Amino acid sequence: AVALDAPQPEVPEGTTLAGRARELERELRMLGPINPLALQEHDALAERHAFLQQQLDDVKESRRELLRVIRAVDREIVSVFQTAFQDVSEHFSALFATLFPGGSGRVFLTEPDDVLNTGIEIEARPGRKRVKRISLLSGGERALTAMAFLFAIFTARPSPFYLMDEVEPALDDVNLHRFLRLTEGFARESQVLIVTHQKRTMEIADALYGVSLNKDGTTKVVAQQLDLPTPLETDARL
C-alpha cells in the first residue's frame, strides 16, 4: 500500500517506468552480492589509515628535525674547521721556514667557498728552488714537508703524546738534524714516541725500547733509560 501510494519517480525523457526498472535491476546485479561486514571493514581500514597517517607525520617531523640538526652540525663543522685550518696554515708556514731556511710553504683550500667539500693543497719551495709542487721535490724534501704539516697540526692542536713510525729514513744528515731539533722542542711539552732504526734519533731519546733475538730463536723486550747529553747539545757545528 505504501509503495502504491508513493508518487511515481521521474524518469528521463523517452524512458518508460518498466525500462527504468530494468536498468536499475541490471545495476543492482552489477554491484554483486551485498557484504554485511562492509561497515566494520571500513571502520577497520579507516583506523589503520589514521594510524599510518600518524606514523607518516611522525617520520616527516623526525626528518625535519634531523635536517635542522644536520644544518647545525654543518655550521659547527665549518666554524671549527676554518679556525683549525687557519691555525695549521700559519704554523705550517712558520715551521716550513724553520726546516727549510730561505724557503717558503703554504697550505690552502681548493674550494674555499665550499668548506664541507673542499680539498687541501700544499705548496712547498725549499731554499732557492723555484718548484712548488711536492711531486717535484726529492724524497727527503717531501718527507720533511710532510713532517712540517704534521707538526703544524700538533702545534695548532696539542696532544699529550705523539707516535711516529719510521718518519726519518729519507732524510740526509742536515735535514735529520733539523727534524731532531723540532722533535726535542715538542718533547718538552708532550711524550714523543718514535719507531726508528736511526742511531742519531735513538741518541736523543730519554728511554729506548727494543726487541732482541736470543740464540734459541726467542725474543725479549729490552728497555734502557738514558741520562746522557744528546748529540744536539754537544755538537755545536750542526
Side-chain angles (χ1 to χ4, degrees):
V2 175
L4 292 174
D5 293 337
Q8 294 183 0
E10 296 181 0
V11 296
E13 185 178 354
T15 303
T16 63
L17 291 175
R20 181 58 179 160
R22 287 192 297 270
E23 290 179 1
L24 294 175
E25 290 174 354
R26 184 174 67 256
E27 292 178 2
L28 287 174
R29 288 193 301 271
M30 292 176 63
L31 290 175
I34 297 175
N35 180 10
L37 301 178
L39 183 60
Q40 290 85 340
E41 292 177 358
H42 175 271
D43 293 340
L45 288 175
E47 182 179 357
R48 176 66 175 170
H49 177 270
F51 172 76
L52 293 178
Q53 185 63 46
Q54 181 182 0
Q55 295 295 308
L56 180 60
D57 293 340
D58 291 343
V59 171
K60 290 180 178 179
E61 179 60 29
S62 299
R63 182 176 182 274
R64 287 191 292 267
E65 181 63 27
L66 182 59
L67 291 176
R68 285 194 293 268
V69 173
I70 290 175
R71 287 192 293 269
V73 171
D74 285 347
R75 288 193 297 269
E76 183 67 17
I77 289 174
V78 169
S79 175
V80 172
F81 176 81
Q82 287 177 331
T83 302
F85 179 80
Q86 183 65 30
D87 293 342
V88 171
S89 178
E90 293 175 0
H91 290 302
F92 175 79
S93 297
L95 288 172
F96 191 89
T98 301
L99 294 174
F100 294 97
S104 62
R106 71 186 185 102
V107 183
F108 61 93
L109 301 177
T110 58
E111 298 180 47
D113 297 330
D114 187 7
V115 176
L116 293 177
N117 297 297
T118 186
I120 298 176
E121 291 285 347
I122 298 177
E123 281 188 358
R125 188 176 64 82
R128 297 180 179 178
K129 291 186 177 182
R130 293 184 179 181
V131 298
K132 293 183 178 181
R133 299 187 65 84
I134 295 180
S135 59
L136 301 178
L137 304 179
S138 66
E141 290 170 336
R142 287 198 299 268
L144 208 58
T145 300
M147 291 178 198
F149 182 69
L150 182 65
F151 280 104
I153 297 175
F154 292 165
T155 305
R157 297 296 183 269
S159 173
F161 68 91
Y162 307 107
L163 174 61
M164 292 175 281
D165 185 5
E166 298 286 358
V167 294
E168 80 283 39
L171 302 180
D172 57 21
D173 289 342
V174 175
N175 288 331
L176 178 60
H177 177 77
R178 294 169 181 166
F179 165 71
L180 296 180
R181 283 284 190 186
L182 188 61
T183 302
E184 280 194 322
F186 277 84
R188 297 189 186 100
E189 303 295 335
S190 305
Q191 284 188 314
V192 180
L193 295 86
I194 303 178
V195 180
T196 183
H197 290 86
Q198 285 276 5
K199 180 180 178 181
R200 290 185 60 190
T201 303
M202 298 180 193
E203 289 174 345
I204 71 167
D206 296 325
L208 293 176
Y209 298 91
V211 179
S212 68
L213 181 65
N214 298 323
K215 294 181 179 180
D216 59 358
T218 60
T219 59
K220 67 177 180 180
V221 177
V222 179
Q224 179 65 48
Q225 293 288 332
L226 303 179
D227 189 19
L228 298 174
T230 68
L232 299 180
E233 295 172 346
T234 58
D235 190 352
R237 294 174 300 171
L238 294 179

